[in-house]
Amino acid sequence: MVLSRRWSAFLLVAGAWNWLIWPRFAKAIWDDPRAWDDGSPTSFLTVHAVLIVTALTIGTVTALLGLKGLRAR
């Protein structure tokens, strides 16, 4: 499969966007009082941590595909 330069750039930007947004969201979840119950993590924190790790993984793969597409040209 051949990606156009425009789609490759879009994938790279989309991956970078994930890395800009999700860490800020992670900090907000970490600081949320619902994330902790007497110092131990709650299911609220666990579910959001899984969501954040998944989104960052997908963002990384997306950015790498975009970078690979840009380098192929």
Side-chain angles (χ1 to χ4, degrees):
M1 182 173 155
V2 177
L3 287 173
S4 70
R5 197 157 182 79
R6 181 175 286 170
W7 277 111
S8 296
F10 173 78
L11 290 174
L12 186 61
V13 169
W17 179 256
N18 275 303
W19 275 96
L20 288 172
I21 295 303
W22 286 102
R24 293 180 59 174
F25 183 69
K27 180 165 179 4
I29 294 299
W30 188 267
D31 294 337
D32 194 307
R34 295 173 292 177
W36 303 100
D37 185 23
D38 293 328
S40 60
T42 63
S43 57
F44 176 83
L45 178 64
T46 304
V47 166
H48 283 88
V50 169
L51 175 69
I52 292 163
V53 168
T54 303
L56 288 174
T57 301
I58 292 170
T60 301
V61 171
T62 302
L64 289 174
L65 287 172
L67 186 59
K68 186 176 179 179
L70 285 174
R71 285 185 170 176
R73 297 228 157 230

